[in-house]
Amino acid sequence: MACTSKAESVAGREKVAHCGATTPSSKSEAGLEQRSLCVDSGLKKHSFTVEMAITSQQQMQGMMFRTELADDKGMLFPFDDVRPASFWMKNTVIPLDIIFVRKDGTIANIAVNTVPYSTDPVPSDGPVAAVLELRGGLTLELGINAGDRVYWSD
């Protein structure tokens, strides 16, 4: 799947109208809204369907207790305000790559293969507008790096 290049700035974040096959109104098995998301990594574009953790309750729950995560799935935590972020893996069964996304859509830093059940903080390198979680090790496999750009659909 390829992302379209038509982007518009909304609330300080870069978003695209169409970035994959998911319709913006679809819901995940967990009942969360889903969006299409792309990571532009040089000449490659990687498409994902992400669950939107928008409310504080959804953000606290995150990927806890999940036993699998497909390579084309993830979870996005968009913030109302740009801020430093710190995540942990308490009650998270599977390793995750935690991607910290700046206001301009670029990746600030990536914590690769975070340790399941760990309560050690996993911090952003500075203020971020969103955090993306993917299957552990996937960013290395796909060549996704700090400085790459993240877009998601409305």
Side-chain angles (χ1 to χ4, degrees), residues 5-149:
S5 61
K6 182 179 178 184
E8 60 183 35
S9 179
V10 177
R13 290 177 281 218
E14 295 290 316
K15 297 186 179 187
V16 294
H18 303 291
C19 184
T22 303
T23 58
S25 62
S26 69
K27 292 206 182 225
S28 70
E29 290 181 22
L32 298 176
E33 291 293 327
Q34 295 186 115
R35 298 288 183 268
S36 295
L37 177 141
C38 279
V39 178
D40 185 354
S41 183
L43 298 176
K44 295 184 179 180
K45 294 184 188 301
H46 307 285
S47 298
F48 303 93
T49 300
V50 295
E51 294 177 277
M52 301 296 290
I54 297 170
T55 68
S56 59
Q57 179 61 34
Q58 291 168 341
Q59 291 183 355
M60 285 189 327
Q61 178 74 28
M63 297 293 290
M64 287 184 180
F65 309 110
R66 307 243 184 136
T67 57
E68 61 186 9
L69 181 60
D71 288 354
D72 64 342
K73 304 288 185 192
M75 184 173 282
L76 184 69
F77 301 75
F79 304 135
D80 290 332
D81 299 311
V82 175
R83 62 186 171 151
S86 184
F87 278 51
W88 65 359
M89 295 291 289
K90 183 178 180 179
N91 297 320
T92 306
V93 179
I94 56 175
L96 298 172
D97 287 355
I98 301 177
I99 303 166
F100 296 94
V101 183
R102 296 183 188 104
K103 182 178 181 179
D104 68 359
T106 59
I107 296 173
N109 63 299
I110 303 171
V112 178
N113 270 320
T114 54
V115 178
Y117 300 107
S118 174
T119 57
D120 292 339
V122 179
S124 63
D125 289 344
V128 294
V131 174
L132 172 62
E133 293 180 339
L134 300 175
R135 178 186 56 79
L138 189 61
T139 56
L140 288 176
E141 292 170 27
L142 296 177
I144 295 172
N145 297 295
D148 291 348
R149 189 168 295 275

